[in-house]
Amino acid sequence: MRMKLRSQEWFDNAEDPGSTAIYLERYLNFGHTREELQSGKPIIGIAQTGSDLSPCNRHHIELAKRVRDGIVAAGGICFEFPVHPIQETGKRPTAALDRNLAYLGLVETLYGYPLDGVVLTIGCDKTTPALLMAAATVNIPAIALSVGPMLNGYHKGNRAGSGSVIWDGREMLARGEIDYDEFMEMAANSAPSVGYCNTMGTASTMNSLAEALGMQLPGSASIPAPYRERGQISYETGKRIVEMVHEDLKPSDVMTRAAFENAIVVNSAIGGSTNAPIHLNAIARHLGLELSNDDWQKFGHKIPLLTNVQPAGAYLSEDFHRAGGIPAIFSELMGAGVLPNPDAVTVSGKPVSEIYANAEVANEDVIRRFAAPLKEAAGFVNLKGNLFDSAIMKTSVISGDFRARYLSNPDDPDAFEGRAIVFDGPEQYHETIDDPALNIDEFCILVIRGAGPIGYPGGAEVVNMQPPAALLKRGIAALPCIGDGRQSGTSGSPSILNAAPEAAAMGGLALVQNGDRLRIDLKNGSANILISDEELAARRAALQAAGGYQYPDHQTPWQEIQRSIVDQFDEGMVLKPAVKYQKVAQTKGMPRNSH
C-alpha cells in the first residue's frame, strides 16, 4: 500500500473539503490539473539558488530543466521556487551574513508548503550549508545537486585558479611587477565559464563534502558546470528524489555521525577549506549531532593530502574531476583502511563501500596514491589558549618557506613566537600595513580582530593578510596571521583563523596589544599571549569597564537580529534558538491550516 504523502493534506483531504478547495484551486491557475494534484504523485520542490545576483549558481536555471525532466519521468510533479541569493564574491559586508537568513527562509518553505521532497541546488560557498541545514531541520526527503565548478582558467599559458590567482596578483601588484589592468585581466581569466570556483576553495570543498556526507549522487560533486554530464546527473537526481520519497529516505538517515566523520577525512585528503568546520558543525547541530573542532583534528589531522589542486597544489577542479574526483578519493581512503565508516548510507540507498570501492585514479599526479601523498598529516590543527578557546590552522598549505622560517627551530620544533601587530578590522589593516612606524619585520605576527560573527557582522574573509610591500619586495611572501574572521578557501595562507570566542564576545584577541609577544605551538596545540594571568585579567576588567570591545553599528534589521542570537564559529555560527528545532516534519506535526 502506498503511503500517504504530505502534499495530500493540502490537495486531497476529503475530511476537510473547505481547506482543500482553497489550496487546490489556486495551484490550478497556471496549468496544473486536478488529476495531477490529487493523483497521489509526489510533489517535489526544486530549491532554486540560481539568479543574476548569484553568478556561481546561475547555471542552475538551466540545470533545473533537466531536474524537472527526471522528476516527471519518475512520476513526480515539480514545484520550483527561489531561495534567498548568496554570492560569496558579491554580497557586502559578507555572504556569511546571509547563510542563516537563507536557511530560515528555506525551513519555512519546506515545512509550510505542499512538498513531499526537495532537490537542493547547491554551489557557491554558503548555499551548500544553508540548504543542507534547512533540509536537516525539516527532514523531508532531500537530495543535493551541485552546479559544478568552472572550467580551468588560464593566464599567459598557466593555470589561473579562481581566488588563488587574485592572492598572487595582489602580491605582484604590491611588488610593482604588474599594473592595475594586468591584475584585472588575471582575475578575469580565472573565470572562463559558468560554475563556481575552479580551485579547491570553499565552494568545491563544500560540494565535495555534500557528496562525502552522502547527500549527492555518487560522482556528481566535481563534474564541471558546462559538461554534458552535469545535465545528465541533473536528470538522474530528479529521478532519484521521487524514489527517495517512496522509500521515505530522509536527511537524518543519511547525514549521520558516521557520515560526518567520513567527510572530515575526505576534507583532509582534498586539502579542503577552513570554512568547512564552521559549516559542517552547523549542519550537525541542526541534526542534533555533536561535532566539534576537536573532532576535525582527531579524525582529520593525520590524513595525508592526496589532491594536487590549488591552493594546496598545482591543478584545478576540471583536472580533479578527470582524475577521478571524490569517488577516487573514497577508493584510496578505503583501500588504505582509514575511512572511518565505509558502511555509511548515501542518497543512492547504497553504502559508501559498495559505491566507491572500485573507483579508479585516472591521473596519479592530480590525485596521488595514499602511499605517495603530496603531504603527510594534512588536516587541521585546533589551537587553544588565552588567545581563544578554539581556532583552526590548515596544515596542508604550510609552504616550505613558511615552515623553514617559523617552524624549524631544532630547539623548539613546530612552534614560533613573534611580536603582535594588531588591526581592528580590515580597514585599519589596509590603511596602515605599510606604515614604517609599525616597524614590521619577518618575525612579527599580524593579528586582525572585529571580524567575527558579531563584530563584522557575519564573519568576513579578511584574515589572509599579506605582509607590507617592503617585505614582499624582499621575498617574504607570508607572515603568520591570526584572526577572529575567516579567510577564503582559495587562499594558500596558513593563517590561524575562525578564532572563538571573537573579540566582540570578549575573547582573548580583544586583549592583545601592539608589541605583545605571542607564542604558537602546533605540537601542543596552544596559542597564547606571553603575559601573566594578572595582567590579562587587568586588561579584561579595563576593557569591560570601557564598555567592551567596540564594533560598527548595525546597518540593517537582519544584522541586528543575527548579532543578538548568533553563536560563535566553533559552534557553527548557527542561530542559537534554531538548533532546538529538529526533524520538524516528524516532531511538530502538520502546520495549521491557513483558512
Side-chain angles (χ1 to χ4, degrees):
M1 181 178 176
R2 179 175 287 186
M3 67 177 182
K4 186 174 182 179
L5 301 172
R6 286 183 87 242
S7 59
Q8 290 177 277
E9 292 289 337
W10 279 259
F11 295 140
D12 194 18
N13 185 1
E15 295 179 2
D16 188 357
S19 294
T20 299
I22 289 172
Y23 300 130
L24 179 69
E25 63 91 7
R26 203 50 55 95
Y27 281 93
L28 301 175
N29 77 353
F30 63 99
H32 282 304
T33 66
R34 274 190 63 192
E35 179 185 8
E36 287 177 291
L37 297 183
Q38 295 185 322
S39 66
K41 292 182 177 181
I43 294 181
I44 306 299
I46 301 175
Q48 178 58 267
T49 60
S51 74
D52 289 354
L53 284 176
S54 303
C56 288
N57 285 25
R58 196 181 186 285
H59 192 43
H60 271 310
I61 296 173
E62 295 301 317
L63 296 176
K65 297 173 184 177
R66 294 299 289 143
V67 176
R68 283 175 170 270
D69 291 341
I71 291 169
V72 172
I77 298 170
C78 312
F79 279 13
E80 187 174 344
F81 58 89
V83 176
H84 178 81
I86 309 178
Q87 175 60 36
E88 184 63 39
T89 57
K91 176 62 191 290
R92 298 171 69 171
T94 168
L97 191 65
D98 286 27
R99 187 201 69 178
N100 290 338
L101 185 57
Y103 154 80
L104 287 176
L106 185 54
V107 166
E108 292 300 313
T109 302
L110 297 183
Y111 181 60
Y113 281 91
L115 300 173
D116 300 305
V118 64
V119 176
L120 310 169
T121 63
I122 60 174
C124 187
D125 299 18
K126 309 302 180 296
T127 57
T128 301
L131 271 58
L132 291 178
M133 288 158 58
T137 295
V138 181
N139 205 40
I140 63 172
I143 190 170
L145 172 67
S146 168
V147 77
M150 294 184 290
L151 300 177
N152 286 358
Y154 292 91
H155 181 71
K156 294 185 175 179
N158 298 315
R159 283 178 175 81
S162 48
S164 295
V165 74
I166 293 177
W167 314 133
D168 293 340
R170 191 172 63 173
E171 294 177 9
M172 295 169 69
L173 184 67
R175 289 193 295 262
E177 298 170 1
I178 59 174
D179 60 16
Y180 173 85
D181 285 338
E182 184 167 356
F183 187 18
M184 296 304 107
E185 192 65 17
M186 289 174 67
N189 289 342
S190 70
S193 74
V194 293
Y196 53 70
C197 289
N198 52 24
T199 47
M200 191 57 73
T202 305
S204 283
T205 296
M206 289 306 302
N207 286 268
S208 295
L209 297 187
E211 181 175 336
L213 283 170
M215 288 297 290
Q216 292 204 76
L217 288 178
S220 64
S222 64
I223 302 169
Y227 277 26
R228 69 179 184 189
E229 289 87 352
R230 178 54 63 195
Q232 291 166 343
I233 203 68
S234 300
Y235 176 77
E236 296 298 330
T237 298
K239 288 174 59 180
R240 179 58 191 152
I241 186 58
V242 176
E243 297 168 352
M244 290 173 63
V245 169
H246 292 310
E247 296 166 12
D248 197 29
L249 184 61
K250 302 180 293 296
S252 61
D253 302 318
V254 175
M255 292 191 290
T256 61
R257 169 73 190 198
F260 281 96
E261 292 174 1
N262 285 348
I264 289 172
V265 171
V266 169
N267 188 77
S268 297
I270 64 175
S273 166
T274 49
N275 288 299
I278 299 171
H279 299 318
L280 262 65
N281 290 1
I283 299 165
R285 290 194 69 189
H286 287 292
L287 287 159
L289 301 174
E290 294 293 329
L291 194 71
S292 71
N293 287 346
D294 285 333
D295 290 319
W296 285 83
Q297 179 163 332
K298 175 183 176 182
F299 291 99
H301 177 53
K302 293 183 179 179
I303 301 300
L305 177 64
L306 305 182
T307 305
N308 188 12
V309 172
Q310 297 177 25
Y315 292 95
L316 295 173
S317 294
E318 187 178 4
D319 306 303
F320 175 63
H321 175 68
R322 288 180 172 274
I326 293 300
I329 295 294
F330 263 121
S331 181
E332 283 298 302
L333 294 172
M334 286 191 290
V338 299
L339 189 75
N341 304 292
D343 293 331
V345 174
T346 79
V347 289
S348 70
K350 300 175 183 178
V352 168
S353 57
E354 180 179 339
I355 296 166
Y356 298 114
N358 297 319
E360 297 182 353
V361 176
N363 186 328
E364 294 186 17
D365 193 34
V366 179
I367 297 178
R368 301 293 177 87
R369 297 293 183 180
F370 190 89
L374 270 77
K375 291 185 181 180
E376 302 285 352
F380 300 140
V381 174
N382 185 27
L383 298 167
K384 305 176 183 181
N386 64 17
L387 278 169
F388 33 71
D389 294 341
S390 177
I392 291 292
M393 187 175 189
K394 181 177 177 179
T395 61
S396 65
V397 293
I398 297 177
S399 68
D401 180 70
F402 189 94
R403 182 170 293 280
R405 180 173 284 115
Y406 301 112
L407 296 170
S408 299
N409 182 346
D411 299 322
D412 193 15
D414 290 327
F416 59 91
E417 295 182 11
R419 175 169 56 90
I421 306 295
V422 184
F423 304 99
D424 288 296
E427 295 82 5
Q428 186 181 30
Y429 160 75
H430 288 295
E431 290 169 4
T432 64
I433 182 63
D434 290 315
D435 186 348
L438 292 176
N439 194 28
I440 300 175
D441 59 30
E442 59 265 46
F443 303 109
C444 289
I445 299 175
L446 305 183
V447 177
I448 192 165
R449 61 192 179 193
I454 298 171
Y456 202 70
E461 295 187 342
V462 296
V463 180
N464 47 331
M465 298 172 285
Q466 69 183 32
L471 291 185
L472 289 172
K473 291 174 181 176
R474 287 174 47 199
I476 299 169
L479 291 176
C481 298
I482 301 175
D484 58 5
R486 301 176 298 112
Q487 76 178 27
S488 171
T490 65
S491 171
S493 170
S495 303
I496 298 167
L497 59 156
N498 307 353
E502 63 182 297
M506 290 300 291
L509 287 182
L511 310 178
V512 181
Q513 297 177 1
N514 275 322
D516 282 344
R517 295 288 297 177
L518 307 182
R519 176 174 172 80
I520 309 301
D521 191 328
L522 301 186
K523 184 171 73 277
N524 296 325
S526 61
N528 291 288
I529 319 173
L530 298 181
I531 59 175
S532 67
D533 292 343
E534 292 77 13
E535 170 64 16
L536 199 65
R539 290 187 188 183
R540 183 176 297 279
L543 185 58
Q544 288 174 332
Y549 183 83
Q550 299 300 303
Y551 51 84
D553 193 14
H554 320 301
Q555 296 170 307
T556 65
W558 174 239
Q559 289 185 14
E560 180 173 4
I561 292 168
Q562 170 149 294
R563 273 173 159 164
S564 68
I565 55 175
V566 74
D567 223 330
Q568 292 292 292
F569 278 139
D570 59 333
E571 298 290 341
M573 207 187 81
V574 296
L575 302 177
K576 295 176 185 178
V579 294
K580 66 176 178 285
Y581 295 90
Q582 296 169 10
K583 303 178 183 177
V584 299
Q586 293 79 43
T587 61
K588 299 297 184 181
M590 292 295 293
R592 298 170 74 182
N593 280 314
S594 61
H595 289 76

